[in-house]
Amino acid sequence: MTKCVYPGSFDPFTLGHLDILARACALFGEVKVAVLHNARKSSFFALDERLAFIRRAIQAKGLNNASAVAFEGLLADFMKLERADCVLRGIRGAIDYEYEAAMAALNKRLYPICETVVLMASPEHIAVSSSMVREIGRLGGDIGSLVPEVNRETIAERLLADE
Ligand code: PNS
């Protein structure tokens, strides 16, 4: 059974992330969403909030082979600890590609049995990113088509309160 880790900042988890996760759940035995806890890089949403958003989305979508945990330090070390086979990443196009290719190469150097599997974003999610959700939400725009429905109100309220 292939165990796959889906790492990221998820600040916050978007419908694009959920789409990648759901498609990976159909391909792999187990998918663990690994939320980066980086004390030196600030995120808008706290680690606990980011985890709660993902867990709520997983439950609402009925993804029984998915879970969410926090990780810090090197992803390669987390992969070893988890005895995971592959890293899952989603890409939206050429801009994401260079970064993902470099990360995949370095992760393989640090942990040679680790494969990176990349899924292309579905066309309806090509323009969706966490940073755009934060910007649109802060300015009072509708984030309804950008984040999972179960988290919409909470995310919108938190972002609006920041303005
Ligand atoms: O959603 P993001 O911010 O693009 O995710 C980036 C992430 C968390 C996957 C990447 O920064 C990462 O793996 N960080 C952990 C530290 C690490 O292993 N760095 C070397 C990567 S080759």
Side-chain angles (χ1 to χ4, degrees), residues 7-9 36 41 71 73-75 89 99 103 106-107:
S9 307
L36 181 68
K41 186 179 155 200
F71 85 104
L74 279 177
L75 177 61
R89 295 284 288 174
Y99 174 64
M103 248 193 354
L106 291 171
N107 280 327

PDB file of all heavy atoms in Angstrom, residues 7-9 36 41 71 73-75 89 99 103 106-107, ligand 1:
ATOM      1  N   PRO A   7       2.666  17.626   1.597  1.00  0.00           N
ATOM      2  CA  PRO A   7       3.145  18.699   2.470  1.00  0.00           C
ATOM      3  C   PRO A   7       2.796  20.090   1.941  1.00  0.00           C
ATOM      4  O   PRO A   7       2.625  20.292   0.737  1.00  0.00           O
ATOM      5  CB  PRO A   7       4.671  18.499   2.417  1.00  0.00           C
ATOM      6  CG  PRO A   7       4.909  18.040   1.013  1.00  0.00           C
ATOM      7  CD  PRO A   7       3.688  17.247   0.589  1.00  0.00           C
ATOM      8  N   GLY A   8       2.736  21.046   2.861  1.00  0.00           N
ATOM      9  CA  GLY A   8       2.498  22.420   2.424  1.00  0.00           C
ATOM     10  C   GLY A   8       2.272  23.334   3.610  1.00  0.00           C
ATOM     11  O   GLY A   8       2.228  22.898   4.761  1.00  0.00           O
ATOM     12  N   SER A   9       2.130  24.624   3.288  1.00  0.00           N
ATOM     13  CA  SER A   9       1.836  25.611   4.330  1.00  0.00           C
ATOM     14  C   SER A   9       0.322  25.666   4.584  1.00  0.00           C
ATOM     15  O   SER A   9      -0.124  25.908   5.702  1.00  0.00           O
ATOM     16  CB  SER A   9       2.315  26.997   3.895  1.00  0.00           C
ATOM     17  OG  SER A   9       3.662  26.946   3.505  1.00  0.00           O
ATOM     18  N   LEU A  36       3.142  22.444   7.475  1.00  0.00           N
ATOM     19  CA  LEU A  36       4.426  22.967   7.945  1.00  0.00           C
ATOM     20  C   LEU A  36       4.263  23.896   9.146  1.00  0.00           C
ATOM     21  O   LEU A  36       3.522  24.871   9.097  1.00  0.00           O
ATOM     22  CB  LEU A  36       5.134  23.726   6.814  1.00  0.00           C
ATOM     23  CG  LEU A  36       6.505  24.302   7.182  1.00  0.00           C
ATOM     24  CD1 LEU A  36       7.519  23.182   7.416  1.00  0.00           C
ATOM     25  CD2 LEU A  36       7.017  25.234   6.099  1.00  0.00           C
ATOM     26  N   LYS A  41       8.980  31.353  10.007  1.00  0.00           N
ATOM     27  CA  LYS A  41       8.196  31.934   8.903  1.00  0.00           C
ATOM     28  C   LYS A  41       6.768  32.112   9.403  1.00  0.00           C
ATOM     29  O   LYS A  41       6.131  31.134   9.801  1.00  0.00           O
ATOM     30  CB  LYS A  41       8.244  30.975   7.700  1.00  0.00           C
ATOM     31  CG  LYS A  41       7.599  31.512   6.441  1.00  0.00           C
ATOM     32  CD  LYS A  41       7.715  30.497   5.314  1.00  0.00           C
ATOM     33  CE  LYS A  41       6.625  30.698   4.297  1.00  0.00           C
ATOM     34  NZ  LYS A  41       6.377  29.532   3.460  1.00  0.00           N
ATOM     35  N   PHE A  71       4.120  19.106  10.805  1.00  0.00           N
ATOM     36  CA  PHE A  71       5.520  18.666  10.813  1.00  0.00           C
ATOM     37  C   PHE A  71       6.417  19.888  10.864  1.00  0.00           C
ATOM     38  O   PHE A  71       6.016  20.983  10.485  1.00  0.00           O
ATOM     39  CB  PHE A  71       5.846  17.768   9.603  1.00  0.00           C
ATOM     40  CG  PHE A  71       6.221  18.505   8.335  1.00  0.00           C
ATOM     41  CD1 PHE A  71       7.556  18.579   7.912  1.00  0.00           C
ATOM     42  CD2 PHE A  71       5.252  19.128   7.552  1.00  0.00           C
ATOM     43  CE1 PHE A  71       7.907  19.248   6.752  1.00  0.00           C
ATOM     44  CE2 PHE A  71       5.589  19.803   6.389  1.00  0.00           C
ATOM     45  CZ  PHE A  71       6.922  19.866   5.980  1.00  0.00           C
ATOM     46  N   GLY A  73      10.854  20.993  10.517  1.00  0.00           N
ATOM     47  CA  GLY A  73      12.158  20.487  10.097  1.00  0.00           C
ATOM     48  C   GLY A  73      12.118  20.058   8.646  1.00  0.00           C
ATOM     49  O   GLY A  73      11.276  20.527   7.865  1.00  0.00           O
ATOM     50  N   LEU A  74      13.020  19.148   8.302  1.00  0.00           N
ATOM     51  CA  LEU A  74      13.121  18.721   6.905  1.00  0.00           C
ATOM     52  C   LEU A  74      12.005  17.757   6.522  1.00  0.00           C
ATOM     53  O   LEU A  74      11.713  16.803   7.266  1.00  0.00           O
ATOM     54  CB  LEU A  74      14.453  18.005   6.676  1.00  0.00           C
ATOM     55  CG  LEU A  74      15.690  18.870   6.465  1.00  0.00           C
ATOM     56  CD1 LEU A  74      16.920  17.983   6.337  1.00  0.00           C
ATOM     57  CD2 LEU A  74      15.537  19.751   5.222  1.00  0.00           C
ATOM     58  N   LEU A  75      11.438  17.978   5.355  1.00  0.00           N
ATOM     59  CA  LEU A  75      10.403  17.067   4.871  1.00  0.00           C
ATOM     60  C   LEU A  75      10.977  15.651   4.717  1.00  0.00           C
ATOM     61  O   LEU A  75      10.310  14.664   5.045  1.00  0.00           O
ATOM     62  CB  LEU A  75       9.863  17.576   3.517  1.00  0.00           C
ATOM     63  CG  LEU A  75       8.824  16.700   2.845  1.00  0.00           C
ATOM     64  CD1 LEU A  75       7.582  16.555   3.717  1.00  0.00           C
ATOM     65  CD2 LEU A  75       8.452  17.257   1.475  1.00  0.00           C
ATOM     66  N   ARG A  89       2.512  16.618  -4.629  1.00  0.00           N
ATOM     67  CA  ARG A  89       2.409  18.070  -4.808  1.00  0.00           C
ATOM     68  C   ARG A  89       1.472  18.341  -5.974  1.00  0.00           C
ATOM     69  O   ARG A  89       1.375  17.541  -6.908  1.00  0.00           O
ATOM     70  CB  ARG A  89       3.787  18.681  -5.107  1.00  0.00           C
ATOM     71  CG  ARG A  89       4.774  18.557  -3.950  1.00  0.00           C
ATOM     72  CD  ARG A  89       4.516  19.523  -2.823  1.00  0.00           C
ATOM     73  NE  ARG A  89       4.860  20.885  -3.202  1.00  0.00           N
ATOM     74  CZ  ARG A  89       4.613  21.934  -2.419  1.00  0.00           C
ATOM     75  NH1 ARG A  89       4.006  21.807  -1.253  1.00  0.00           N
ATOM     76  NH2 ARG A  89       4.956  23.146  -2.814  1.00  0.00           N
ATOM     77  N   TYR A  99      10.112  25.382  -9.269  1.00  0.00           N
ATOM     78  CA  TYR A  99      10.242  25.224  -7.820  1.00  0.00           C
ATOM     79  C   TYR A  99      10.022  23.764  -7.415  1.00  0.00           C
ATOM     80  O   TYR A  99      10.778  23.188  -6.635  1.00  0.00           O
ATOM     81  CB  TYR A  99       9.218  26.164  -7.173  1.00  0.00           C
ATOM     82  CG  TYR A  99       9.070  26.063  -5.672  1.00  0.00           C
ATOM     83  CD1 TYR A  99      10.129  26.385  -4.820  1.00  0.00           C
ATOM     84  CD2 TYR A  99       7.849  25.690  -5.096  1.00  0.00           C
ATOM     85  CE1 TYR A  99       9.975  26.317  -3.444  1.00  0.00           C
ATOM     86  CE2 TYR A  99       7.688  25.617  -3.719  1.00  0.00           C
ATOM     87  CZ  TYR A  99       8.751  25.934  -2.895  1.00  0.00           C
ATOM     88  OH  TYR A  99       8.595  25.860  -1.535  1.00  0.00           O
ATOM     89  N   MET A 103      12.645  21.082  -5.699  1.00  0.00           N
ATOM     90  CA  MET A 103      12.317  20.443  -4.417  1.00  0.00           C
ATOM     91  C   MET A 103      12.336  18.922  -4.523  1.00  0.00           C
ATOM     92  O   MET A 103      12.860  18.221  -3.647  1.00  0.00           O
ATOM     93  CB  MET A 103      10.937  20.904  -3.952  1.00  0.00           C
ATOM     94  CG  MET A 103      11.081  21.736  -2.736  1.00  0.00           C
ATOM     95  SD  MET A 103       9.607  22.109  -1.797  1.00  0.00           S
ATOM     96  CE  MET A 103       8.235  21.514  -2.631  1.00  0.00           C
ATOM     97  N   LEU A 106      15.955  17.717  -4.627  1.00  0.00           N
ATOM     98  CA  LEU A 106      16.642  17.805  -3.333  1.00  0.00           C
ATOM     99  C   LEU A 106      16.098  16.791  -2.336  1.00  0.00           C
ATOM    100  O   LEU A 106      16.852  16.181  -1.582  1.00  0.00           O
ATOM    101  CB  LEU A 106      16.534  19.230  -2.783  1.00  0.00           C
ATOM    102  CG  LEU A 106      17.354  20.250  -3.586  1.00  0.00           C
ATOM    103  CD1 LEU A 106      17.039  21.665  -3.144  1.00  0.00           C
ATOM    104  CD2 LEU A 106      18.849  19.971  -3.454  1.00  0.00           C
ATOM    105  N   ASN A 107      14.793  16.598  -2.346  1.00  0.00           N
ATOM    106  CA  ASN A 107      14.218  15.591  -1.438  1.00  0.00           C
ATOM    107  C   ASN A 107      14.743  14.203  -1.773  1.00  0.00           C
ATOM    108  O   ASN A 107      14.998  13.394  -0.885  1.00  0.00           O
ATOM    109  CB  ASN A 107      12.689  15.619  -1.489  1.00  0.00           C
ATOM    110  CG  ASN A 107      12.121  16.745  -0.634  1.00  0.00           C
ATOM    111  OD1 ASN A 107      12.690  17.085   0.404  1.00  0.00           O
ATOM    112  ND2 ASN A 107      11.032  17.335  -1.074  1.00  0.00           N
TER     113      ASN A 107
HETATM  114  O1  PNS B   1       2.771  25.141   0.307  1.00  0.00           O
HETATM  115  P1  PNS B   1       4.219  25.456   0.204  1.00  0.00           P
HETATM  116  O2  PNS B   1       4.563  26.632   1.071  1.00  0.00           O
HETATM  117  O3  PNS B   1       4.663  25.616  -1.215  1.00  0.00           O
HETATM  118  O4  PNS B   1       5.012  24.188   0.800  1.00  0.00           O
HETATM  119  C1  PNS B   1       6.413  24.146   0.830  1.00  0.00           C
HETATM  120  C2  PNS B   1       6.918  22.969   1.678  1.00  0.00           C
HETATM  121  C3  PNS B   1       6.302  23.025   3.073  1.00  0.00           C
HETATM  122  C4  PNS B   1       6.529  21.659   1.030  1.00  0.00           C
HETATM  123  C5  PNS B   1       8.458  23.085   1.745  1.00  0.00           C
HETATM  124  O5  PNS B   1       8.812  24.383   2.135  1.00  0.00           O
HETATM  125  C6  PNS B   1       9.088  22.102   2.717  1.00  0.00           C
HETATM  126  O6  PNS B   1       9.134  20.916   2.472  1.00  0.00           O
HETATM  127  N1  PNS B   1       9.565  22.617   3.872  1.00  0.00           N
HETATM  128  C7  PNS B   1      10.202  21.806   4.900  1.00  0.00           C
HETATM  129  C8  PNS B   1      11.707  22.067   4.970  1.00  0.00           C
HETATM  130  C9  PNS B   1      12.445  21.306   3.873  1.00  0.00           C
HETATM  131  O7  PNS B   1      12.435  20.102   3.830  1.00  0.00           O
HETATM  132  N2  PNS B   1      13.064  22.078   2.975  1.00  0.00           N
HETATM  133  C10 PNS B   1      13.798  21.530   1.853  1.00  0.00           C
HETATM  134  C11 PNS B   1      12.861  21.174   0.704  1.00  0.00           C
HETATM  135  S1  PNS B   1      13.752  20.489  -0.608  1.00  0.00           S
END
